[in-house]
Amino acid sequence: MKWKKFKKERISLDYTIMLVPHSQKKPIHFKTPVWTFGVIFLGLLVLTGACLFFAGSRHQLMQVRREKEQLEQEWERLAQQKQLADQENEILRQEQELQKQELEDLEERTRNTLRDLEELVEREGQIRQELGLEEIYTSSDEPQDERAGDVPEETAEDGAAISGGETQEGSAEISGTLRIASTNLPLILAENTADFQAIQAEMGILQTLLAEKTGQYDGYLSTIEEQKAAAAAEKARKEALRASIVTSAASYIGNSYVYGGNDPNTGVDCSGFTRYILGHTAGVYLNRTAAEQSGQGKTVSIEEARPGDLVFYSNGSSINHVAIYAGDGQVIHASNERVGITRSNIYYRTPVKIKNVLGD
């Protein structure tokens, strides 16, 4: 009985809480059992852990939200640039079509002018033929004494002198008409020639402007094609880099798992394996533990995962394992001491996070 009483008193007296207020009154004493104090202490530990966990989760959530906003802003900027480029291309295309239409109109006007000139030349030939211009030129080239000698021969007959006078008057009228036609024809030809030259000059100016606009348009197209080619080359380079990461990781399948190891040739754990592969193959620095690595890079969904991304797993409360995504729903990782470095299905455990640490 004494032992039980002593044990009971000792258990209840081991922990005593004294509250001494700032007054002259008697201090207040509280006695508490050991198990009550333990429960309170564990409750405080759990509450502190929960606060730290929620604070860390909130911080990660805010970081993901900021990254999402940055991506959305970048996407909007690229969309605006593409819209501006499309508008410029459309404006250039419309200008090119307009200049092409103007050039066709000028060519049509030129053809009409040439056709008018041909009609004028043909009309001139008809006028010459109707007026007997060639015969008059031939008779005007003969010597004056021969033309004068013809008149007496005609006057030898009855009424020949009168007939000869009438013939000379008719010839004079024809010559006057011919002079008027010959005088006006060069003026008409000169006017048409001037119009034709003006049209040719205008066509030359428009062709020069069309060539400049075409050169600008071709320059824009060339720049766009160069940007597309550079983007395609960069994408191909990054895809090749991701493939090389998977190839390098696969080359160590079957090697040993060593907790805390950093070299897959001699033994490595999960985070040491990813740190070694990404550092030696892609030049990417990773922190040492899986939990620290899960805070690096950009979070992606499992549908967006690409070869070379990191896949993280947890034990229910914290991240404790990391693997390299190999594509086709497979991961390569340093599993455990029994299995070593191996290839597994991505769902051999439930993934909790996927990170892109390559920056693309």
Side-chain angles (χ1 to χ4, degrees):
M1 292 296 294
K2 292 181 178 181
W3 168 249
K4 290 182 179 180
K5 182 178 180 181
F6 172 78
K7 186 175 180 181
K8 183 176 180 181
E9 290 177 354
R10 291 294 298 170
I11 290 175
S12 61
L13 292 175
D14 278 344
Y15 298 92
T16 302
I17 298 176
M18 298 179 62
L19 299 178
V20 182
H22 296 284
S23 64
Q24 300 298 326
K25 295 181 180 181
K26 183 179 179 181
I28 301 173
H29 298 272
F30 292 95
K31 292 184 179 181
T32 179
V34 175
W35 66 270
T36 304
F37 182 81
V39 169
I40 294 173
F41 181 75
L42 290 176
L44 290 174
L45 286 179
V46 171
L47 180 61
T48 303
C51 291
L52 292 175
F53 175 78
F54 286 115
S57 300
R58 179 177 178 80
H59 176 71
Q60 290 183 353
L61 181 62
M62 292 297 294
Q63 183 178 1
V64 170
R65 184 177 298 172
R66 285 194 297 269
E67 291 177 352
K68 180 183 178 182
E69 292 175 353
Q70 292 176 356
L71 288 175
E72 290 176 349
Q73 292 175 358
E74 182 67 18
W75 175 260
E76 291 177 355
R77 185 179 66 81
L78 292 175
Q80 291 176 357
Q81 290 181 352
K82 182 179 182 298
Q83 185 177 4
L84 290 176
D86 292 339
Q87 291 176 355
E88 291 178 353
N89 289 337
E90 181 64 21
I91 292 172
L92 288 174
R93 186 187 63 80
Q94 292 177 357
E95 290 180 354
Q96 187 178 18
E97 291 180 353
L98 180 60
Q99 292 175 358
K100 183 179 179 181
Q101 183 64 36
E102 291 176 353
L103 182 60
E104 291 177 353
D105 293 339
L106 284 174
E107 290 176 350
E108 182 65 24
R109 290 170 58 187
T110 302
R111 286 193 294 267
N112 293 335
T113 302
L114 291 175
R115 189 161 50 249
D116 292 340
L117 288 173
E118 291 175 356
E119 291 176 358
L120 286 173
V121 172
E122 184 179 356
R123 181 58 179 165
E124 180 189 9
Q126 292 176 358
I127 292 172
R128 287 176 181 273
Q129 186 176 4
E130 291 175 357
L131 297 178
L133 183 60
E134 297 176 354
E135 295 178 0
I136 293 173
Y137 281 164
T138 303
S139 61
S140 63
D141 292 337
E142 294 176 355
Q144 293 293 329
D145 54 349
E146 292 180 2
R147 294 202 302 272
D150 291 338
V151 176
E153 292 178 359
E154 294 177 356
T155 55
E157 300 178 357
D158 295 337
I162 297 174
S163 300
E166 293 177 354
T167 304
Q168 289 178 357
E169 291 177 359
S171 298
E173 292 177 359
I174 293 173
S175 299
T177 304
L178 180 59
R179 289 193 200 97
I180 294 173
S182 300
T183 302
N184 294 333
L185 185 59
L187 295 176
I188 296 172
L189 291 175
E191 291 177 358
N192 288 319
T193 303
D195 292 340
F196 180 70
Q197 290 176 349
I199 291 172
Q200 281 187 329
E202 189 176 357
M203 285 180 61
I205 294 173
L206 290 175
Q207 286 177 346
T208 302
L209 292 175
L210 179 61
E212 292 178 358
K213 294 296 183 180
T214 303
Q216 293 177 359
Y217 182 72
D218 292 340
Y220 282 121
L221 290 180
S222 177
T223 302
I224 293 173
E225 292 299 329
E226 288 177 358
Q227 292 177 351
K228 289 182 178 179
E234 181 65 14
K235 182 179 179 181
R237 185 190 68 80
K238 291 181 178 179
E239 293 299 330
L241 177 62
R242 288 178 174 275
S244 65
I245 292 173
V246 175
T247 301
S248 176
S251 65
Y252 295 104
I253 291 177
N255 288 14
S256 301
Y257 175 97
V258 175
Y259 181 77
N262 293 302
D263 189 345
N265 294 295
T266 58
V268 69
D269 59 10
C270 63
S271 57
F273 179 64
T274 56
R275 190 168 189 260
Y276 181 91
I277 296 298
L278 269 297
H280 284 74
T281 306
V284 176
Y285 173 79
L286 293 178
N287 294 322
R288 181 59 187 86
T289 66
E292 292 173 340
Q293 291 178 9
S294 67
Q296 297 180 251
K298 179 178 67 176
T299 302
V300 297
S301 65
I302 195 165
E303 293 81 9
E304 298 171 336
R306 291 184 291 170
D309 290 341
L310 299 182
V311 182
F312 295 91
Y313 302 88
S314 71
N315 57 4
S317 59
S318 62
I319 292 175
N320 67 342
H321 191 65
V322 60
I324 297 175
Y325 185 62
D328 297 329
Q330 301 289 313
V331 293
I332 300 174
H333 59 126
S335 179
N336 51 47
E337 294 179 352
R338 179 176 58 83
V339 178
I341 300 174
T342 185
R343 184 190 296 266
S344 305
N345 187 284
I346 190 173
Y347 292 107
Y348 88 102
R349 290 169 60 184
T350 302
V352 296
K353 187 182 292 185
I354 300 176
K355 285 282 190 173
N356 174 6
V357 295
L358 296 177
D360 58 350

